[in-house]
Amino acid sequence: MKIHTTTDYDQFKYIAGNRDVVEAHVKSLSEQITIKDFQIPIIVNEKMEVCEGQHRLEAYKALSIPITYIIKEGLDIFDIRKLNSVSRKWTMEEYLMSHVKLGNTDYEILEWFHRHYEFSISDSISMLNNKGYHTAIDLNDFKNGNFKVIDLEWAKDTANKIMTVGEYFPFWKKRTFVGAMISALKDSTFVWKIFETRLKNHSSKLKNQGSRNDFILNIERLYNHNTSASKKIRLQVYGTR
């Protein structure tokens, strides 16, 4: 099949019944193309209706750079649905192992940590990056091979403490609880020995919660149980305090 190149974006049409264009995805693709343009052709039918790559088309149009395309006759909306249904994004595990295979030492440490402690990759990143949390930018850096281990010893200590909670709390592996504990352990006012004592004596006060913020508040209440007002702590709750 011949690959064509053009800047005449107006010749392309969108086929009725296809998924809507998501502007956030177009913006993300534009940023990626600016960094490195792989010139992956879009696929159109004989009517120049876009069957695969409508977000790439909008990204190239926004950047005003040539787009490549392949004409494949006979494609319709039913074929488009089949194409979209079989496409699959890379998993976090696949990104991790890809960088491990390339010999990236930071990713080798992350893979060991993830496998040894059995926390999710994203939670492992939150511990190893020494921030106690991860953002969309952090995850994007991880995918692009830019993740760095900042403090392995703090991460190991944090993981071990969370695992200790598992002796008293059956929902300790829940992602929202792990995130809450990482946040609490990163707080300078949070003293692990005090919390551990409260946990041993009043573990029933630690309840299953729906969100990380709810778990943070629950951890705070347990920590402050039977504590004088002057020694009570206030943990950071995301988006509200």
Side-chain angles (χ1 to χ4, degrees):
M1 287 181 287
K2 183 178 179 181
I3 298 177
H4 307 269
T5 304
T6 186
T7 54
D8 181 12
Y9 313 110
D10 293 336
Q11 68 180 306
F12 300 109
K13 309 176 188 71
Y14 288 129
I15 194 165
N18 200 357
R19 294 183 293 183
D20 292 338
V21 171
V22 179
E23 290 302 322
H25 188 38
V26 173
K27 183 175 182 295
S28 176
L29 283 174
S30 299
E31 292 170 352
Q32 292 177 25
I33 291 168
T34 300
I35 295 170
K36 189 167 186 177
D37 183 5
F38 292 100
Q39 279 291 317
I40 300 172
I42 65 172
I43 300 174
V44 301
N45 61 19
E46 70 278 9
K47 299 175 186 177
M48 299 304 286
E49 294 173 324
V50 180
C51 300
E52 196 282 321
Q54 59 183 7
H55 287 90
R56 293 202 302 282
L57 171 60
E58 290 299 323
Y60 279 100
K61 187 190 298 187
L63 295 169
S64 298
I65 58 179
I67 188 169
T68 56
Y69 65 96
I70 296 170
I71 299 174
K72 190 165 180 62
E73 296 183 2
L75 292 180
D76 57 22
I77 185 61
F78 300 101
D79 298 309
I80 293 173
R81 288 175 185 149
K82 289 177 183 176
L83 280 170
N84 290 336
S85 67
V86 298
S87 61
R88 184 179 67 84
K89 293 182 178 180
W90 278 42
T91 65
M92 293 285 282
E93 189 81 28
E94 287 167 336
Y95 277 112
L96 173 61
M97 295 313 299
S98 175
H99 293 298
V100 168
K101 290 173 183 177
L102 292 172
N104 189 313
T105 304
D106 289 281
Y107 286 77
E108 290 173 353
I109 295 171
L110 174 58
E111 190 275 333
W112 170 84
F113 189 92
H114 163 61
R115 176 170 42 81
H116 181 77
Y117 291 104
E118 298 184 349
F119 289 111
S120 71
I121 293 172
S122 55
D123 285 334
S124 298
I125 289 171
S126 295
M127 289 184 251
L128 289 164
N129 68 10
N130 200 35
K131 293 198 295 187
Y133 63 90
H134 61 268
T135 65
I137 294 174
D138 294 321
L139 294 182
N140 195 49
D141 284 342
F142 159 78
K143 293 174 183 178
N144 292 329
N146 299 319
F147 166 75
K148 297 294 180 186
V149 174
I150 304 301
D151 194 335
L152 177 58
E153 293 309 311
W154 184 85
K156 287 160 65 176
D157 182 61
T158 298
N160 285 323
K161 286 172 178 173
I162 296 173
M163 291 174 74
T164 298
V165 178
E167 298 173 19
Y168 307 94
F169 185 52
F171 300 101
W172 70 280
K173 289 294 290 287
K174 193 173 179 179
R175 181 167 294 185
T176 46
F177 178 75
V178 173
M181 279 301 303
I182 295 171
S183 177
L185 289 162
K186 197 65 182 171
D187 192 300
S188 60
T189 65
F190 185 90
V191 179
W192 167 252
K193 286 296 182 183
I194 294 176
F195 180 74
E196 187 178 25
T197 300
R198 299 287 188 275
L199 189 63
K200 289 177 179 178
N201 297 328
H202 307 285
S203 60
S204 62
K205 293 188 176 296
L206 202 55
K207 307 288 187 182
N208 187 24
Q209 305 290 336
S211 70
R212 177 176 63 171
N213 277 349
D214 288 335
F215 269 125
I216 289 174
L217 291 172
N218 193 185
I219 290 167
E220 180 185 285
R221 284 193 295 270
L222 175 58
Y223 186 101
N224 290 333
H225 182 67
N226 288 338
T227 301
S228 62
S230 62
K231 293 184 178 180
K232 287 184 178 180
I233 64 170
R234 291 266 288 177
L235 297 174
Q236 180 184 359
V237 177
Y238 292 86
T240 58
R241 289 189 191 173

